[in-house]
Amino acid sequence: MVDSDTPLVLLPAFPFDGRMWGAVADGLAGPVIAPDPRGFGRPVGDDEPDLDLLAADVVALLDERGLDRVVLGGCSMGGYVALAVLRTAPERVGGLVLIDTKPTADPPPAKQNRAAMAERAEREGVDGWLMADMLPLLLGPTTVEERPEVVETVRDLTAGLSPEGVAWAQRAMAARPDSSEALAAAEIPVLVLHGEQDAIIPVEAARATADLLRRGELVLFGESGHLPPLEVPAECAAAIMTWWESKVTATP
C-alpha cells in the first residue's frame, strides 16, 4: 500500500483541479495528497506565468506539512510541475509517476497554439469553446464511445473555469524549459503511465521518456487517451500500487 513514510502527491492535468484524482486515490489504499494548483481552485496571484512557481507552491505545501521527501505524480501539466520540482528541489523527490506528460519543452508551433488559447481566453472567456475544442483531444475514442459517464465527469470538473487561470497556465506551460537532463540524471524510481489513444502526446513520447530513465518502468493503457486517471482510474491505481510495492518500498 501507499505508505505514510513517503506520501504520494498527485498534481492535476490542465484544466483540472485536485478532484481529478478522486477515483485513483480511492484505489490506492493509503494517504494521497492532491492539491489544487493556482488558477484551478486557487487564485492565480500577480506573478508572471512560470511553472517553477507551481513547483515552489508544491515545496511550500511539503514544508507546511513537515514532509521532507515525497513521491510526486503528475498528469500532463501536473507532470511538467513534478519535473520542475525535480529540477529545482531534487532532494524533496523520492520517486515520480509521470502520466501522459513529457520532459521536453514545447516546439514553436505548440508555443504559438498556447499563446492563441491564452489570448482567446482573455478576450472571450472560456465558456462553450474551450472544452468543445479540448474534449476530443483529452479523451480517447474508446472513452467517448463507451464511457459517457467519464465525458460528463470531465464536463463537471471543468465547469466554471477561470479565463485568467487558463491563460496563466497556457503561458506558463509554453515557457517551461526542457527537463530531460534532470530526469536522465535522477537516481529515483520513475513510473511512466500513458494512454495509447492519447491525441496530444503520442505514445512514442512516453517510450522516449522511459528510455531516458535509470530506474524507469513504462505501462501503457490501450483503452485510454490523455487522461488515464479519469478514463481508466482502476488500472491507473493498480499500476501505481504494483510499482510502489516493487520499487518505492524497495528503495534504500
Side-chain angles (χ1 to χ4, degrees), residues 5-72:
D5 291 337
T6 310
L8 177 61
V9 178
L10 296 174
L11 309 174
F14 172 90
F16 298 91
D17 58 30
R19 293 175 298 162
M20 76 166 287
W21 296 105
V24 171
D26 288 345
L28 287 176
V32 172
I33 302 167
D36 295 336
R38 61 174 76 191
F40 303 93
R42 294 180 54 208
V44 169
D46 298 326
D47 296 304
E48 290 296 313
D50 189 339
L51 290 187
D52 283 1
L53 291 172
L54 298 187
D57 291 343
V58 172
V59 173
L61 174 65
L62 303 187
D63 290 342
E64 290 170 9
R65 299 200 178 199
L67 300 172
D68 291 330
R69 208 160 188 245
V70 299
V71 172
L72 283 178

Side-chain angles (χ1 to χ4, degrees), residues 105-116 174:
D106 277 348
K111 291 178 185 288
Q112 293 165 7
N113 290 338
R114 292 194 192 280

Side-chain angles (χ1 to χ4, degrees), residues 76-93:
S76 191
M77 185 179 82
Y80 303 153
V81 177
L83 289 167
V85 177
L86 180 68
R87 283 190 294 99
T88 58
E91 72 282 358
R92 310 303 291 271
V93 184

Side-chain angles (χ1 to χ4, degrees), residues 50-52 55 76-89 96 98 101-106 172-173 175-186 190 208-209 212-213:
D50 189 339
L51 290 187
D52 283 1
S76 191
M77 185 179 82
Y80 303 153
V81 177
L83 289 167
V85 177
L86 180 68
R87 283 190 294 99
T88 58
L96 287 170
L98 301 176
T101 192
K102 57 185 179 179
T104 53
D106 277 348
M173 285 189 282
R176 75 185 189 278
D178 193 300
S179 295
S180 299
E181 185 175 342
L183 186 59
V190 182
T209 298
L212 287 174
L213 303 172

Side-chain angles (χ1 to χ4, degrees), residues 186-204:
E187 297 282 0
I188 56 174
V190 182
L191 175 63
V192 179
L193 304 179
H194 207 88
E196 291 189 82
Q197 299 177 4
D198 191 335
I200 297 176
I201 300 177
V203 70
E204 290 77 13

Side-chain angles (χ1 to χ4, degrees), residues 135-212:
L135 263 174
L137 300 175
L138 290 174
L139 300 176
T142 299
T143 297
V144 172
E145 294 165 11
E146 300 180 9
R147 306 181 190 115
E149 72 283 359
V150 175
V151 178
E152 287 308 306
T153 295
V154 169
R155 293 188 188 280
D156 290 344
L157 290 175
T158 56
L161 287 171
S162 156
E164 181 185 24
V166 167
W168 196 96
Q170 285 296 322
R171 292 186 175 120
M173 285 189 282
R176 75 185 189 278
D178 193 300
S179 295
S180 299
E181 185 175 342
L183 186 59
E187 297 282 0
I188 56 174
V190 182
L191 175 63
V192 179
L193 304 179
H194 207 88
E196 291 189 82
Q197 299 177 4
D198 191 335
I200 297 176
I201 300 177
V203 70
E204 290 77 13
R207 293 193 175 100
T209 298
D211 287 343
L212 287 174

